[in-house]
Amino acid sequence: MELNNEHINELIAKYLAGEATPDEAIMLDEWSNASAGNLAYFNESKKAFGIKDTKVDTVKMFSAVLAQIEPEAGKEVKIIPLKLFFTPLRIAASLVVISLIGIMAAIYVKGNKNLPDQQIASLGEVKETRLADGTKVALNKNTSLTLVGGFNGKERKLKLQGEAFFEVAHNDNKPFVIDAGGVLIRDIGTAFNVKANPGSDSVFVSVTEGIVDMSSEANTLRLVQNESAVFVRSTKQLIALNLVESNINSYHTKMFSFKAKTLSEVIETINGVYGYLIKLENKDLSNCRITVDFNNESPETIVAIITETLGLTFHKTNEGIYLIEGSSCIQ
Amino acid sequence: MFNAYAESLVRYAETILKNTYEAEDIVQQLFVQLWDKRSTLVITTSLKSYLYRAAHNSSLNKIKQHGVRDSYAEYYTYVGNAETGSAAQRVEAKEVNTAIETAIEELPEQCRKVFRLSRFEQMKYQQIADELGISVKTVENQMGKALKHMRLRLKDYMLLLMMYLMNQN
């Protein structure tokens, strides 16, 4: 460990003053334990700082921990397995399987004890699943959903990081609430999409069917079918939007609708769902406009339809990219 | 796993909480929660990293909720503690206090100010920086220098004291 005298004194001082970050504390502990000399140095410093020598009774602590985790004798333990629905095609990656195993762990019910949170994550794939209450969820890539308290409280509460589409199973007694980091989204009716990416400053909600309430600390906005709103984290504003992003659910429905959109926009949207498979060879074609719908087609069919409509051609490269070629579009 | 990490985690937590009992409490809770989450927890960094971070966050949260306890005086040897314990302990505590006070007076001005604010006023580094109009890096640097001096002087002092005591016999 490369720690010269200057640094070690600063690090020890920082630690003793209670200012050390977890990583710094780890670094110091490793240094102290590296040699008897180091440990003595540290202890001298601790004394010089004026901190009393105290004993830590780990045996007593361990017993205390055990006492809290062993179930009391005589209490019944109920095991409730989660049911999952997923299409076989999506189980390709072993990563997905691992996270599924995590979810399939049993839920233990111990009297009034708080249930642990449960996590569902989608990693590099789109994942569709059904929650214990019957709610259908479709997670976009790299999204994680945490079921707070195992869904056992008086609310059905979830924390969302990423993007997901919800078709909520109706339950008047247990409201369905999503914590998207700064804003709460409460389902009153049925189907809606939430985009709450952790790095992004905004949380975007759009309602397909039913009613949803979005609440920040300051106010609440009620959204009905085909309405959407955005919550800006930095300014804490809740803003209703007039535009309806019609292709918002495409990542799981594979249905697209483009009305007089530019070719570059169409390609970008398609690529966002299928991966970067389509490219334009001639940048001049970017601004060609097209009106077209796609209903669960393969990327190749989509490219074929686009090129046919606009009088262009395409070929598939060795890397599996569809390259659209042509000098101009039929408009 | 418990035995490997428990003590270090308590030591870390007590530097933030300035109280050994509360630190033990926090670390205990940490392990209980870890056990509860065991089937669904996904740790992306190392276990050590996770544990230290958890201890750090819980400690800070506790302070946010209850404020720094007044009983932090129990944590230090300085003043007040020269009154508890056995005769030998009281004598030692008194000597250490004197040694510390003397050593502090020897520090260069800014160094001394920084050290006093942290050690006696319980100010955070950022607060000290703001108060004295210097950078946090400077505060870290000054604290390092102060501690180095204190450690050396204390060693000298204790050595002298031992020699003095030995000569008495």
Side-chain angles (χ1 to χ4, degrees):
Chain A
M1 184 117 288
E2 316 269 345
L3 281 177
N4 66 38
N5 273 325
E6 282 278 298
H7 291 154
I8 198 60
N9 286 317
E10 281 185 23
L11 185 59
I12 297 179
K14 210 170 175 188
Y15 178 87
L16 296 173
E19 302 267 345
T21 64
D23 288 331
E24 287 168 340
I26 290 177
M27 208 158 60
L28 183 60
D29 281 341
E30 283 173 2
W31 178 87
S32 300
N33 293 324
S35 75
N38 287 357
L39 189 59
Y41 191 100
F42 174 76
N43 285 327
E44 285 166 12
S45 304
K46 191 171 174 183
K47 201 161 190 179
F49 204 81
I51 295 175
K52 242 200 224 169
D53 232 340
T54 54
K55 289 260 174 289
V56 172
D57 192 346
T58 52
V59 175
K60 190 181 72 181
M61 279 174 69
F62 192 61
S63 326
V65 172
L66 278 182
Q68 290 191 55
I69 49 187
E70 287 301 302
E72 289 150 35
K75 268 248 171 87
E76 227 190 75
V77 174
K78 245 159 103 182
I79 300 175
I80 307 169
L82 264 190
K83 288 194 200 123
L84 285 180
F85 294 84
F86 50 85
T87 60
L89 291 170
R90 304 219 193 287
I91 323 174
S94 56
L95 286 172
V96 178
V97 174
I98 291 169
S99 61
L100 284 176
I101 290 171
I103 300 163
M104 281 169 132
I107 309 172
Y108 293 88
V109 178
K110 281 189 225 178
N112 288 326
K113 195 151 181 200
N114 272 334
L115 286 182
D117 289 353
Q118 265 181 290
Q119 280 244 347
I120 305 177
S122 61
L123 299 161
E125 299 233 321
V126 171
K127 179 192 271 180
E128 276 169 39
T129 180
R130 193 184 286 233
L131 305 178
D133 66 339
T135 296
K136 281 200 223 167
V137 184
L139 300 167
N140 202 349
K141 302 175 202 167
N142 299 317
T143 293
S144 86
L145 199 59
T146 307
L147 311 181
V148 178
F151 251 22
N152 218 43
K154 36 184 166 61
E155 286 182 323
R156 288 173 286 169
K157 191 152 184 200
L158 304 99
K159 285 200 188 135
L160 173 69
Q161 272 201 337
E163 181 170 3
F165 179 81
F166 300 88
E167 223 176 283
V168 183
H170 196 61
N171 184 341
D172 277 327
N173 298 326
K174 271 204 198 177
F176 191 89
V177 181
I178 299 168
D179 179 346
V183 65
L184 290 179
I185 298 150
R186 188 189 216 87
D187 158 69
I188 316 288
T190 35
F192 58 98
N193 195 75
V194 182
K195 203 166 181 174
N197 292 318
S200 158
D201 187 31
S202 54
V203 176
F204 185 86
V205 176
S206 86
V207 181
T208 305
E209 205 185 308
I211 309 173
V212 155
D213 270 350
M214 261 178 97
S215 311
S216 63
E217 281 169 17
N219 48 28
T220 302
L221 200 57
R222 174 157 289 200
L223 302 173
V224 300
Q225 187 160 348
N226 288 333
E227 285 185 347
S228 45
V230 70
F231 170 72
V232 182
R233 288 187 173 131
S234 50
T235 58
K236 302 215 198 301
Q237 286 172 294
L238 204 48
I239 309 167
L241 297 171
N242 285 324
L243 308 162
V244 172
E245 201 176 283
S246 54
N247 289 313
I248 201 169
N249 296 314
S250 307
Y251 65 84
H252 66 101
T253 59
K254 302 286 192 284
M255 284 169 58
F256 301 88
S257 174
F258 299 105
K259 297 205 172 8
K261 291 276 187 271
T262 60
L263 190 53
S264 59
E265 203 181 319
V266 171
I267 291 176
E268 211 182 293
T269 308
I270 307 271
N271 282 344
V273 173
Y274 288 97
Y276 288 93
L277 297 176
I278 311 177
K279 286 199 162 64
L280 279 179
E281 211 217 357
N282 182 355
K283 296 297 171 219
D284 292 340
L285 301 173
S286 307
N287 292 320
C288 295
R289 294 216 173 248
I290 187 170
T291 296
V292 63
D293 287 345
F294 298 115
N295 200 340
N296 213 357
E297 318 280 1
S298 70
E300 178 139 358
T301 310
I302 289 177
V303 177
I305 294 174
I306 292 175
T307 49
E308 168 116 19
T309 311
L310 294 174
L312 302 167
T313 53
F314 76 95
H315 80 269
K316 193 171 177 182
T317 68
N318 291 334
E319 294 98 17
I321 308 269
Y322 296 96
L323 206 53
I324 298 181
E325 302 147 322
S327 47
S328 63
C329 305
I330 307 171
Q331 297 270 264
Chain B
M1 189 226 338
F2 183 86
N3 288 323
Y5 294 120
E7 183 162 356
S8 314
L9 291 172
V10 172
R11 293 285 176 215
Y12 179 38
E14 72 176 4
T15 61
I16 300 174
L17 296 164
K18 310 284 188 242
N19 187 305
T20 315
Y21 296 119
E22 285 193 9
E24 286 183 348
D25 220 31
I26 292 253
V27 174
Q28 262 167 235
Q29 281 316 301
L30 214 150
F31 280 100
V32 171
Q33 283 166 16
L34 193 65
W35 176 262
D36 276 344
K37 289 188 199 172
R38 72 194 180 289
S39 59
T40 58
L41 188 65
V42 174
I43 298 179
T44 53
T45 56
S46 71
L47 179 65
K48 200 170 190 178
S49 204
Y50 175 81
L51 289 173
Y52 273 78
R53 266 173 227 285
H56 179 245
N57 294 340
S58 305
S59 303
L60 288 182
N61 273 338
K62 186 118 199 230
I63 293 185
K64 249 190 223 165
Q65 287 175 3
H66 302 138
V68 181
R69 287 161 124 262
D70 295 322
S71 57
Y72 69 72
E74 303 254 301
Y75 185 63
Y76 295 109
T77 60
Y78 194 70
V79 186
N81 299 113
E83 277 124 50
T84 59
S86 68
Q89 281 177 324
R90 272 181 279 151
V91 168
E92 210 208 325
K94 253 195 169 142
E95 298 306 329
V96 171
N97 290 342
T98 314
I100 291 177
E101 262 308 318
T102 316
I104 291 179
E105 289 307 310
E106 292 167 357
L107 291 172
E109 187 176 343
Q110 189 180 76
C111 205
R112 188 178 65 238
K113 276 194 190 152
V114 169
F115 189 74
R116 278 203 179 281
L117 287 178
S118 169
R119 171 66 178 76
F120 299 103
E121 305 289 323
Q122 297 295 305
M123 280 175 92
K124 310 221 90 207
Y125 277 18
Q126 183 62 60
Q127 292 172 305
I128 299 174
D130 293 338
E131 172 102 0
L132 299 179
I134 50 181
S135 73
V136 174
K137 204 73 191 63
T138 308
V139 174
E140 286 179 19
N141 183 267
Q142 296 291 47
M143 286 296 286
K145 289 204 162 75
L147 186 61
K148 178 175 176 181
H149 179 81
M150 306 293 296
R151 185 183 59 89
L152 291 171
R153 295 300 282 124
L154 195 77
K155 241 176 146 173
D156 291 341
Y157 197 91
M158 297 312 276
L159 201 62
L160 280 175
L161 184 67
M162 230 171 43
M163 281 163 46
Y164 172 74
L165 289 174
M166 281 185 346
N167 281 336
Q168 296 290 297
N169 299 335

